Every structure is written in structure tokens, then in C-alpha cells.
Amino acid sequence: MAMVAFAFLACNEGASVPSKDKKAAKAVTSQAFDLLGSDAATVDKALTDAGYVELKESNMNGVVARALKKVRKDIKAESSAQVYIYNLPQDYEKMTEEESTEYVKGLMDKGECLYVVTVRYSNDKMAMLSTRVLAPLKDNINLLFTEVSDEEYKKMPEGISVEGKKMQHWAGYTFSGDEDKEFTDHAELVAAVAKAKAIEVEEEAYSVTKVNLTSGDPEGIAYYNSWTNPDEEEQESMLKENGFVAAVGSFTVCYLSNQ
């Protein structure tokens, strides 16, 4: 109970990043639930209003190719996918590798975030939204993850019952040093992450809301989150490889059939 109380107290204070960055994070995480099934114009307006800029695959160079190379490998050149960036500089296309690295480092030093969003469509309707996050290494930066996790957990619909069993699932995992732990209680996971510093987290959930009578396939909503707040050794490696250090997150919301 003490751990749960701590989690709620910590989340009320929130992560020390600009309010606009928190708003932008919500737009592509918990609020993405409401965008599932929307057309491209609706999705574009929602993301643009939250401060995102659409990025064409042919323009993925400079700041994106250099600073987010680990993100870029997850983005495939597909006509059914759109890519958006939050906190992208207007002159990113003219930046050298050194300038782009300094730009991202400057964002982290100022306590701001950088988000890369990939939106995928099926039959012209949004079926998946995946966000990669770079966040500054502040003492309470893990609360950026816990805030998102709390809101998404509350957004999950109730699963249908089959033979008296709810067709829904949630599980969380933390990896810290030599200690790995599995969680079946969401509040306990949030509490553990909120009080930690260096930590790796994974979280998954799905809810079957109906069964397709034609195919027999389950239909519903799922989300998958991961978060890494690097320890000192990992920070040194990140600094050497990328020229900056940051907490790294991944948040995906999708239809169950698109997992």
C-alpha cells in the first residue's frame, strides 16, 4: 500500500519537462486510443495541433538520421505510413551531423523532449500509432513513463467474457541491475518505476472486445510500452555513440489484429 500511495503522489507532481511536451506526449499515447479507426486527415490535424510536423521519408536526414538512427530502422518506406516529429528544427535539412547532434544535445540540456511518431493505416483507417521518445535525464523523468502508463491503463476497454473468463491481459516487467521482476498489478509497477532512477521497463496489455464472426479472429485494442533510464555505464556508451544522453521510451497503441 505504501508503494501504491507513493506512485500516486509522484504522478500528481509529474515529470519535470515543459507542459507542452507533456501535452504532445498525451496526444500520441493515451489520446491515440481515440484516433484508432480515424482517417489520415483527422490524425494529421490532431498531431499538427499538438505541435508535430509531418516528415517525408525522402527527407529523413540530418537531425533524424543521425540522432535517431535507432528509431529510423523501425520506420519502413510504406505508402500506408506517416512519420511525424515533435521539436524538429525548421532548418533540419541543412544541418550537418555535428549540428544535428548538438541540436538534440541542446534539447536534452534544456530539459525538453524529442518525439518521433509512426502512424500506420489499414484500409485508410489508422490501425497503429507508435512513438519513440528521447527525454532529458532529470531526477523524476521516469514519471513521464508512469503518467502515460496510468492514462493508457485507464483507457483500456473491458474484455468480453468467454466461459466466465475476461479476455484481457496486462503485465509489466522491470530490469534493474541483476534484479528482474514481473508485475501483475499495474499500481505496483508504477510505484516501482516512479521511485527508481536507472531502470528498464516493459509493459503490455490487450483487451478482446469482440470476435469476428467471419474469420473467427479476436478484435480489440492493445498497447505496448518500454522505457530505459540508462545507468552510468549505459550513459557513457550512449554519449560515445550518439553525442548525447537521454532516457529512451517507446509507446505503441494499436488494434489487436495489428500487434
Side-chain angles (χ1 to χ4, degrees):
M1 290 298 294
M3 291 176 64
V4 173
F6 177 88
F8 288 126
L9 175 62
C11 289
N12 285 336
E13 295 175 357
S16 297
V17 297
S19 58
K20 65 181 180 67
D21 290 10
K22 292 182 183 180
K23 179 180 178 182
K26 291 180 180 180
V28 292
T29 53
S30 58
Q31 293 173 11
F33 283 76
D34 302 323
L35 290 175
L36 287 170
S38 298
D39 58 25
T42 300
V43 174
D44 181 78
K45 184 179 186 309
L47 297 189
T48 301
D49 288 350
Y52 289 84
V53 177
E54 185 179 2
L55 190 69
K56 302 299 183 182
E57 175 70 19
S58 59
N59 292 336
M60 292 198 70
N61 52 33
V63 66
V64 179
R66 171 63 177 169
L68 300 178
K69 57 186 178 181
K70 292 182 179 180
V71 174
R72 193 179 189 279
K73 68 182 181 181
D74 294 330
I75 301 175
K76 301 177 182 179
E78 297 180 2
S79 59
S80 60
Q82 292 175 304
V83 178
Y84 291 83
I85 308 288
Y86 176 81
N87 257 345
L88 181 72
Q90 293 184 348
D91 60 345
Y92 77 94
E93 290 184 322
K94 300 177 182 179
M95 282 183 167
T96 64
E97 289 188 355
E98 291 75 14
E99 289 171 338
S100 65
T101 298
E102 283 301 309
Y103 174 78
V104 177
K105 182 179 183 299
L107 281 181
M108 301 299 108
D109 290 344
K110 289 187 296 183
E112 298 183 22
C113 301
L114 184 65
Y115 307 142
V116 180
V117 177
T118 305
V119 187
R120 301 197 184 282
Y121 296 87
S122 177
N123 298 320
D124 297 323
K125 302 296 182 182
M126 192 187 94
M128 175 184 291
L129 190 150
S130 184
T131 304
R132 302 296 187 269
V133 175
L134 292 179
L137 291 181
K138 292 180 172 288
D139 287 342
N140 63 357
I141 196 59
N142 289 345
L143 300 189
L144 188 61
F145 174 88
T146 60
E147 289 171 21
V148 168
S149 179
D150 268 338
E151 293 191 6
E152 291 189 335
Y153 184 78
K154 294 173 184 175
K155 281 257 188 175
M156 285 295 287
E158 184 176 356
I160 60 174
S161 293
V162 176
E163 297 181 350
K165 181 179 180 180
K166 290 289 185 180
M167 300 298 290
Q168 56 193 51
H169 164 79
W170 178 91
Y173 311 87
T174 59
F175 313 93
S176 181
D178 296 328
E179 182 180 356
D180 299 345
K181 186 173 181 180
E182 181 176 354
F183 294 79
T184 56
D185 184 284
H186 180 264
E188 289 185 2
L189 174 75
V190 168
V193 176
K195 73 176 184 179
K197 290 188 178 180
I199 194 170
E200 292 183 39
V201 190
E202 293 183 4
E203 176 187 18
E204 60 185 16
Y206 70 79
S207 181
V208 178
T209 55
K210 66 177 180 179
V211 175
N212 188 306
L213 298 179
T214 301
S215 65
D217 294 331
E219 296 181 5
I221 294 177
Y223 74 79
Y224 174 80
N225 300 330
S226 66
W227 179 260
T228 300
N229 188 338
D231 59 24
E232 292 184 1
E233 183 178 347
E234 291 168 329
Q235 290 180 39
E236 290 180 5
S237 177
M238 182 180 288
L239 183 62
K240 183 178 180 180
E241 182 178 358
N242 294 328
F244 62 88
V245 294
V248 181
S250 175
F251 302 90
T252 298
V253 174
C254 62
Y255 282 133
L256 187 58
S257 59
N258 293 96
Q259 276 193 297

Coordinates of all heavy atoms in Angstrom, one line a residue, residues 3-45:
M3 N 3.8 1.6 -1.3 CA 4.3 1.8 -2.7 C 3.3 2.4 -3.6 O 3.6 3.3 -4.4 CB 4.8 0.4 -3.2 CG 6.0 -0.2 -2.6 SD 6.4 -1.8 -3.2 CE 6.8 -1.4 -4.9
V4 N 2.1 1.9 -3.5 CA 1.0 2.5 -4.3 C 0.7 3.9 -4.0 O 0.6 4.8 -4.9 CB -0.3 1.6 -4.2 CG1 -1.4 2.3 -4.9 CG2 -0.1 0.2 -4.7
A5 N 0.7 4.3 -2.7 CA 0.5 5.7 -2.3 C 1.6 6.6 -2.9 O 1.4 7.7 -3.3 CB 0.4 5.8 -0.8
F6 N 2.8 6.1 -2.8 CA 4.0 6.8 -3.3 C 3.8 7.1 -4.8 O 4.1 8.2 -5.3 CB 5.3 6.1 -3.1 CG 6.5 6.8 -3.7 CD1 7.1 7.7 -2.9 CD2 6.9 6.5 -5.0 CE1 8.3 8.4 -3.5 CE2 8.0 7.1 -5.5 CZ 8.7 8.1 -4.8
A7 N 3.3 6.1 -5.6 CA 3.2 6.2 -7.0 C 2.2 7.3 -7.3 O 2.4 8.2 -8.2 CB 2.7 4.9 -7.6
F8 N 1.1 7.4 -6.6 CA 0.0 8.4 -6.9 C 0.5 9.8 -6.6 O 0.3 10.7 -7.3 CB -1.3 8.1 -6.2 CG -2.0 6.9 -6.8 CD1 -2.4 5.8 -6.0 CD2 -2.3 6.8 -8.2 CE1 -3.0 4.7 -6.6 CE2 -3.0 5.8 -8.7 CZ -3.3 4.7 -7.9
L9 N 1.3 9.9 -5.5 CA 1.8 11.2 -5.1 C 2.8 11.7 -6.1 O 2.8 12.8 -6.5 CB 2.5 11.0 -3.7 CG 3.2 12.3 -3.2 CD1 2.2 13.4 -3.0 CD2 4.0 12.0 -1.9
A10 N 3.7 10.8 -6.5 CA 4.7 11.2 -7.5 C 4.1 11.6 -8.8 O 4.5 12.6 -9.5 CB 5.7 10.0 -7.7
C11 N 3.1 10.9 -9.3 CA 2.5 11.2 -10.6 C 1.7 12.5 -10.5 O 1.5 13.1 -11.6 CB 1.6 10.0 -11.0 SG 2.5 8.5 -11.5
N12 N 1.2 12.8 -9.4 CA 0.5 14.1 -9.3 C 1.4 15.3 -9.5 O 1.1 16.3 -10.0 CB -0.2 14.2 -7.9 CG -1.4 13.4 -7.8 OD1 -2.0 13.1 -8.8 ND2 -1.8 13.0 -6.6
E13 N 2.7 15.1 -9.1 CA 3.7 16.1 -9.3 C 4.1 16.2 -10.7 O 4.3 17.2 -11.3 CB 4.9 15.9 -8.4 CG 4.6 16.0 -6.9 CD 5.7 15.7 -6.0 OE1 6.8 15.3 -6.5 OE2 5.6 15.8 -4.8
G14 N 4.3 15.0 -11.3 CA 4.6 14.9 -12.7 C 6.1 15.1 -13.0 O 6.9 15.6 -12.2
A15 N 6.5 14.7 -14.2 CA 7.9 14.8 -14.7 C 8.2 16.3 -14.9 O 7.4 17.0 -15.4 CB 8.1 14.0 -15.9
S16 N 9.5 16.6 -14.7 CA 9.9 18.0 -14.9 C 10.3 18.3 -16.3 O 11.5 18.5 -16.7 CB 11.1 18.3 -13.9 OG 10.7 18.2 -12.6
V17 N 9.3 18.2 -17.2 CA 9.5 18.6 -18.6 C 8.4 19.7 -18.9 O 7.4 19.8 -18.2 CB 9.4 17.4 -19.6 CG1 10.5 16.4 -19.3 CG2 8.0 16.8 -19.5
P18 N 8.6 20.5 -19.9 CA 7.6 21.5 -20.2 C 6.2 21.0 -20.4 O 6.1 19.9 -20.9 CB 8.2 22.1 -21.6 CG 9.7 21.9 -21.5 CD 9.8 20.5 -20.8
S19 N 5.2 21.8 -20.0 CA 3.8 21.3 -20.1 C 3.5 21.0 -21.6 O 2.7 20.1 -21.8 CB 2.9 22.4 -19.6 OG 3.1 23.6 -20.2
K20 N 4.1 21.8 -22.5 CA 3.8 21.5 -23.9 C 4.3 20.1 -24.4 O 3.7 19.4 -25.2 CB 4.3 22.6 -24.8 CG 5.8 22.7 -24.8 CD 6.3 23.8 -25.7 CE 7.9 23.9 -25.7 NZ 8.5 22.7 -26.4
D21 N 5.4 19.7 -23.8 CA 5.9 18.4 -24.1 C 5.0 17.3 -23.5 O 4.9 16.2 -24.1 CB 7.3 18.2 -23.5 CG 8.4 19.1 -24.3 OD1 7.9 19.9 -25.1 OD2 9.6 19.0 -24.0
K22 N 4.5 17.5 -22.3 CA 3.6 16.5 -21.7 C 2.3 16.4 -22.6 O 1.8 15.3 -22.8 CB 3.2 16.9 -20.3 CG 4.3 16.9 -19.3 CD 3.9 17.2 -17.9 CE 5.0 17.2 -16.9 NZ 4.5 17.6 -15.6
K23 N 1.8 17.6 -23.0 CA 0.6 17.6 -23.9 C 0.8 16.9 -25.2 O 0.0 16.1 -25.6 CB 0.2 19.0 -24.2 CG -1.0 19.2 -25.1 CD -1.4 20.6 -25.3 CE -2.6 20.8 -26.2 NZ -2.9 22.2 -26.5
A24 N 2.0 17.1 -25.8 CA 2.4 16.4 -27.0 C 2.5 14.9 -26.8 O 2.1 14.1 -27.7 CB 3.7 17.0 -27.6
A25 N 3.0 14.5 -25.6 CA 3.1 13.1 -25.3 C 1.8 12.4 -25.2 O 1.5 11.3 -25.8 CB 3.9 12.9 -24.1
K26 N 0.8 13.1 -24.6 CA -0.5 12.5 -24.4 C -1.2 12.4 -25.8 O -2.0 11.4 -26.0 CB -1.3 13.4 -23.5 CG -0.9 13.4 -22.0 CD -1.8 14.3 -21.2 CE -1.3 14.3 -19.7 NZ -2.1 15.2 -18.9
A27 N -0.9 13.3 -26.7 CA -1.6 13.3 -28.0 C -1.3 12.0 -28.8 O -2.1 11.6 -29.6 CB -1.2 14.5 -28.8
V28 N -0.1 11.4 -28.5 CA 0.3 10.2 -29.3 C 0.4 9.0 -28.4 O 0.9 7.9 -28.8 CB 1.7 10.5 -29.9 CG1 1.5 11.5 -31.0 CG2 2.7 10.9 -28.9
T29 N -0.2 9.1 -27.2 CA -0.2 7.9 -26.3 C -1.7 7.6 -25.9 O -2.4 6.9 -26.6 CB 0.7 8.0 -25.1 OG1 0.4 9.3 -24.4 CG2 2.2 8.0 -25.6
S30 N -2.1 8.1 -24.8 CA -3.4 7.9 -24.3 C -4.5 8.4 -25.2 O -5.5 7.8 -25.4 CB -3.6 8.5 -22.9 OG -3.4 9.9 -22.9
Q31 N -4.3 9.6 -25.8 CA -5.3 10.1 -26.7 C -5.3 9.4 -28.1 O -6.2 9.5 -28.9 CB -5.0 11.6 -26.9 CG -5.3 12.4 -25.7 CD -4.9 13.9 -25.8 OE1 -4.6 14.4 -26.9 NE2 -4.9 14.6 -24.7
A32 N -4.2 8.6 -28.3 CA -4.2 7.8 -29.6 C -5.3 6.7 -29.6 O -5.7 6.3 -30.7 CB -2.8 7.2 -29.8
F33 N -5.7 6.3 -28.4 CA -6.8 5.4 -28.4 C -8.0 5.9 -29.2 O -8.8 5.2 -29.8 CB -7.3 5.1 -26.9 CG -6.3 4.2 -26.2 CD1 -5.1 4.6 -25.7 CD2 -6.7 2.9 -26.0 CE1 -4.3 3.8 -25.0 CE2 -5.8 2.0 -25.3 CZ -4.6 2.5 -24.8
D34 N -8.3 7.2 -29.0 CA -9.4 7.9 -29.6 C -9.2 8.1 -31.1 O -10.2 8.3 -31.9 CB -9.7 9.2 -29.0 CG -10.0 9.1 -27.5 OD1 -10.6 8.1 -27.1 OD2 -9.5 10.0 -26.7
L35 N -8.0 8.0 -31.6 CA -7.7 8.1 -33.0 C -7.8 6.8 -33.8 O -7.8 6.8 -35.0 CB -6.3 8.8 -33.2 CG -6.2 10.2 -32.8 CD1 -4.7 10.6 -32.9 CD2 -7.1 11.1 -33.6
L36 N -7.8 5.7 -33.1 CA -7.9 4.4 -33.8 C -9.1 4.4 -34.7 O -10.2 4.7 -34.2 CB -7.9 3.3 -32.8 CG -6.5 2.9 -32.1 CD1 -6.8 1.9 -31.0 CD2 -5.5 2.4 -33.1
G37 N -8.9 4.0 -35.9 CA -10.1 4.0 -36.9 C -10.3 5.3 -37.6 O -11.2 5.3 -38.4
S38 N -9.5 6.3 -37.3 CA -9.7 7.6 -37.9 C -9.0 7.7 -39.3 O -8.0 6.9 -39.5 CB -9.2 8.7 -37.0 OG -9.9 8.8 -35.8
D39 N -9.4 8.6 -40.2 CA -8.8 8.7 -41.5 C -7.5 9.6 -41.3 O -7.3 10.2 -40.2 CB -9.7 9.3 -42.5 CG -10.3 10.6 -42.1 OD1 -9.7 11.4 -41.3 OD2 -11.4 11.0 -42.6
A40 N -6.7 9.7 -42.3 CA -5.5 10.4 -42.3 C -5.6 11.9 -42.0 O -4.8 12.5 -41.3 CB -4.7 10.2 -43.6
A41 N -6.7 12.5 -42.5 CA -6.9 13.9 -42.3 C -7.1 14.2 -40.8 O -6.6 15.2 -40.2 CB -8.0 14.4 -43.1
T42 N -7.9 13.3 -40.2 CA -8.2 13.5 -38.7 C -7.0 13.3 -37.9 O -6.7 14.1 -37.0 CB -9.3 12.5 -38.3 OG1 -10.5 12.7 -39.1 CG2 -9.6 12.7 -36.8
V43 N -6.2 12.3 -38.2 CA -5.0 12.1 -37.5 C -4.0 13.2 -37.7 O -3.4 13.7 -36.7 CB -4.3 10.7 -37.9 CG1 -3.0 10.6 -37.3 CG2 -5.2 9.6 -37.6
D44 N -3.9 13.7 -38.9 CA -2.9 14.8 -39.2 C -3.3 16.0 -38.4 O -2.4 16.7 -37.9 CB -2.9 15.1 -40.7 CG -2.0 16.2 -41.1 OD1 -0.8 15.9 -41.1 OD2 -2.5 17.3 -41.3
K45 N -4.6 16.3 -38.3 CA -5.0 17.5 -37.6 C -4.7 17.4 -36.1 O -4.2 18.3 -35.5 CB -6.5 17.8 -37.8 CG -7.0 19.1 -37.1 CD -8.4 19.4 -37.3 CE -8.8 20.7 -36.8 NZ -8.4 21.0 -35.4

